[in-house]
Amino acid sequence: MASRGNPGGLIAVITSAMYLASGKHEIKIKIALDEDDFSYEECMSFICGFYPNVEFYKNRREPTLGAIINGLAKDEIADVYLPLTDRMLIQTVDWDDIIATASMHFYNALLWWNMPQSCIMPILTKKWYEASGQIFTEYFPFWFDDTWLAEINCFVHGNSGHAIPAALYRKPGGKTKRFHDIQFWMEFFISQRANRKLHAEKIAEKLRIPPADTANAIVNMKTRDGWWAQNWQIFEKEFGDPSPRSEDYCIAASAAALLLSGLKLSDELLHRISGGHGE
């Protein structure tokens, strides 16, 4: 998981996870911190004193959440991969055993935590992760990656995945960091549906899954597209980040804008967009 400016929340998330675990499975927690965030010194000392299975990594802030999570998962061999946030508390006793059992039954599909809110967090089995090659896409500075994965699973299986009987609670309220220009990001997300379908076809081929009936799923996707177009202001009002757009946000937005306009990013242009950050 990634955390910024919320050491208290991070402690609560890790404590709930470890306290409610069954003890039957090895659990490794990797946390990405930004190198310019100095609010975690006491937090790191506290957590590592109790939980030697927790590792911290401090780096320059990435433009997208997906790049952070993919970096943590890279070269990490595990049976299951669980991206979380520092505002989500595990609520179910023996959650790890529940996930282990579910991942054996649904090894070639996405699993989801049971969450009362609309926000959802995915659970990726080893086979899915290896076939996909990533946890999240690396386009978005906030949100959208869960819906991206749900659509991919729809193209593979005809449904968004399987919810497990293990619950997450997301603390309500608060603004979302780097939440700017929601209407633009919704448009960008919709524009990439063909790429999600292509990725899904590659995943299905690697997992040897026959083509699924996706007619109803596509209707649901387009219905959501229309709802977004009519209600994006609601999200902007509730979650919009009042702080100025950061340089790392602008890097992600510039890259997405170029893709949205149909331009092909050359290696030189990509270097110019991202290479000068922080210099």
Side-chain angles (χ1 to χ4, degrees), residues 62-72 134-143 145 178:
E62 292 282 358
T64 68
L65 178 62
I68 299 172
I69 300 303
N70 290 340
L72 292 175
Q134 63 185 25
I135 302 290
F136 290 143
T137 180
E138 298 188 5
Y139 293 132
F140 302 100
F142 67 95
W143 288 15
D145 284 304
R178 301 195 294 198

Side-chain angles (χ1 to χ4, degrees), residues 88-149:
M88 292 181 174
L89 299 178
I90 294 174
Q91 295 184 293
T92 304
V93 176
D94 297 341
W95 60 269
D96 56 324
D97 205 34
I98 293 170
I99 289 175
T101 300
S103 67
M104 288 188 290
H105 286 290
F106 302 108
Y107 60 88
N108 66 353
L110 280 174
L111 302 173
W112 301 93
W113 290 91
N114 182 7
M115 298 184 68
Q117 302 94 342
S118 60
C119 178
I120 52 179
M121 290 300 291
I123 299 167
L124 288 80
T125 66
K126 180 180 180 180
K127 285 189 176 294
W128 180 279
Y129 175 64
E130 291 176 343
S132 174
Q134 63 185 25
I135 302 290
F136 290 143
T137 180
E138 298 188 5
Y139 293 132
F140 302 100
F142 67 95
W143 288 15
F144 292 103
D145 284 304
D146 54 354
T147 310
W148 186 286
L149 280 173

Side-chain angles (χ1 to χ4, degrees), residues 1-257:
M1 76 180 82
S3 185
R4 182 177 177 87
N6 189 22
L10 182 63
I11 291 173
V13 170
I14 293 174
T15 301
S16 72
M18 299 310 299
Y19 184 75
L20 295 176
S22 68
K24 297 178 183 179
H25 308 278
E26 181 182 356
I27 299 171
K28 184 175 182 179
I29 301 175
K30 302 177 75 172
I31 301 163
L33 304 174
D34 297 329
E35 63 182 7
D36 64 342
D37 189 344
F38 302 103
S39 63
Y40 285 85
E41 300 309 315
E42 292 183 6
C43 168
M44 288 191 290
S45 178
F46 175 84
I47 289 174
C48 292
F50 282 96
Y51 307 115
N53 59 325
V54 178
E55 298 178 357
F56 287 90
Y57 300 85
K58 296 196 79 170
N59 294 291
R60 188 181 71 179
R61 195 178 195 196
E62 292 282 358
T64 68
L65 178 62
I68 299 172
I69 300 303
N70 290 340
L72 292 175
K74 185 179 180 180
D75 301 324
E76 192 67 49
I77 300 174
D79 294 323
V80 183
Y81 298 83
L82 310 173
L84 289 174
T85 79
D86 59 10
R87 297 182 64 188
M88 292 181 174
L89 299 178
I90 294 174
Q91 295 184 293
T92 304
V93 176
D94 297 341
W95 60 269
D96 56 324
D97 205 34
I98 293 170
I99 289 175
T101 300
S103 67
M104 288 188 290
H105 286 290
F106 302 108
Y107 60 88
N108 66 353
L110 280 174
L111 302 173
W112 301 93
W113 290 91
N114 182 7
M115 298 184 68
Q117 302 94 342
S118 60
C119 178
I120 52 179
M121 290 300 291
I123 299 167
L124 288 80
T125 66
K126 180 180 180 180
K127 285 189 176 294
W128 180 279
Y129 175 64
E130 291 176 343
S132 174
Q134 63 185 25
I135 302 290
F136 290 143
T137 180
E138 298 188 5
Y139 293 132
F140 302 100
F142 67 95
W143 288 15
F144 292 103
D145 284 304
D146 54 354
T147 310
W148 186 286
L149 280 173
E151 286 202 3
I152 286 181
N153 201 85
C154 283
F155 285 125
V156 174
H157 291 287
N159 59 65
S160 59
H162 304 276
I164 64 168
L168 278 182
Y169 172 77
R170 180 185 182 276
K171 184 178 180 180
K175 302 298 185 180
T176 298
K177 295 180 178 68
R178 301 195 294 198
F179 188 119
H180 305 288
D181 311 308
I182 182 63
Q183 193 174 23
F184 163 78
W185 289 107
M186 287 176 171
E187 181 184 357
F188 174 75
F189 177 91
I190 294 168
S191 76
Q192 298 300 305
R193 184 159 291 138
N195 287 336
R196 288 192 287 281
K197 187 174 186 298
L198 289 174
H199 190 194
E201 290 171 354
K202 293 178 181 178
I203 292 173
E205 182 179 0
K206 291 179 180 179
L207 294 176
R208 299 181 180 180
I209 298 172
D213 181 359
T214 61
N216 289 336
I218 292 173
V219 170
N220 291 336
M221 293 175 197
K222 293 183 177 180
T223 299
R224 186 189 59 239
D225 295 347
W227 191 88
W228 278 359
Q230 295 177 357
N231 295 278
W232 61 270
Q233 298 95 332
I234 297 174
F235 296 104
E236 192 167 79
K237 181 178 180 180
E238 183 173 355
F239 299 104
D241 187 347
S243 62
R245 291 167 178 78
S246 62
E247 188 172 359
D248 47 83
Y249 171 85
C250 291
I251 290 171
S254 296

